[in-house]
Amino acid sequence: MAKLLSKAEILKANKLPSEVVAVPEWGGEVMVRGLNARQVDAWRMSFLGAGGKVDPARMGNMLADLVSRSVVDENGALVFGPEDVAAPGELRSAALGRAYEVAVRLSGLSVLDTVAMVQTVPSD
């Protein structure tokens, strides 16, 4: 049987994964860091409206929102602040998509998670 981890061992192993992503459209590379569980929940919750239902009006910049929460500088500080979320949404979709796919993977999300969020948008 494998060794069972203690609480201290689990909490000590909390280094978030990161990966350098080439984005030639931007003229270089970016560092994408995975989100922790609390950050993933906050990202998901940002799309909910009244009654805890997905609000389509909040999903218009979904890719840019996750990328802005994931791209860090060489010191691990976020490159984009909460006030900057709209700016990456104006970038080329293919370039943003590369960073987004890595953020999804490193954060333990799946493309199916994000598709499920979109599919839960209520239709009128």
Side-chain angles (χ1 to χ4, degrees):
M1 174 170 27
K3 176 189 174 208
L4 296 178
L5 298 171
S6 69
K7 176 172 80 173
E9 290 169 321
I10 292 168
L11 296 176
K12 182 179 170 187
N14 195 30
K15 184 170 181 356
L16 295 172
S18 60
E19 188 174 310
V20 174
V21 178
V23 188
E25 297 90 341
W26 299 345
E29 300 173 328
V30 295
M31 176 69 70
V32 176
R33 180 178 62 203
L35 304 180
N36 65 32
R38 185 184 339 229
Q39 292 166 328
V40 167
D41 287 345
W43 178 71
R44 287 179 174 146
M45 296 292 291
S46 71
F47 301 109
L48 300 181
K53 304 243 191 245
V54 173
D55 181 353
R58 296 180 183 209
M59 298 191 73
N61 211 17
M62 191 167 139
L63 272 64
D65 191 311
L66 185 62
V67 169
S68 71
R69 294 171 190 249
S70 302
V71 173
V72 296
D73 65 17
E74 61 277 353
N75 298 314
L78 287 172
V79 171
F80 299 103
E83 70 282 357
D84 298 322
V85 173
E90 299 301 320
L91 300 172
R92 289 181 55 189
S93 178
L96 193 63
R98 270 196 291 288
Y100 175 82
E101 288 174 9
V102 173
V104 164
R105 180 172 43 81
L106 295 179
S107 299
L109 295 164
S110 73
V111 173
L112 293 178
D113 288 330
T114 58
V115 168
M117 287 172 58
V118 171
Q119 290 177 340
T120 60
V121 173
S123 59
D124 292 331

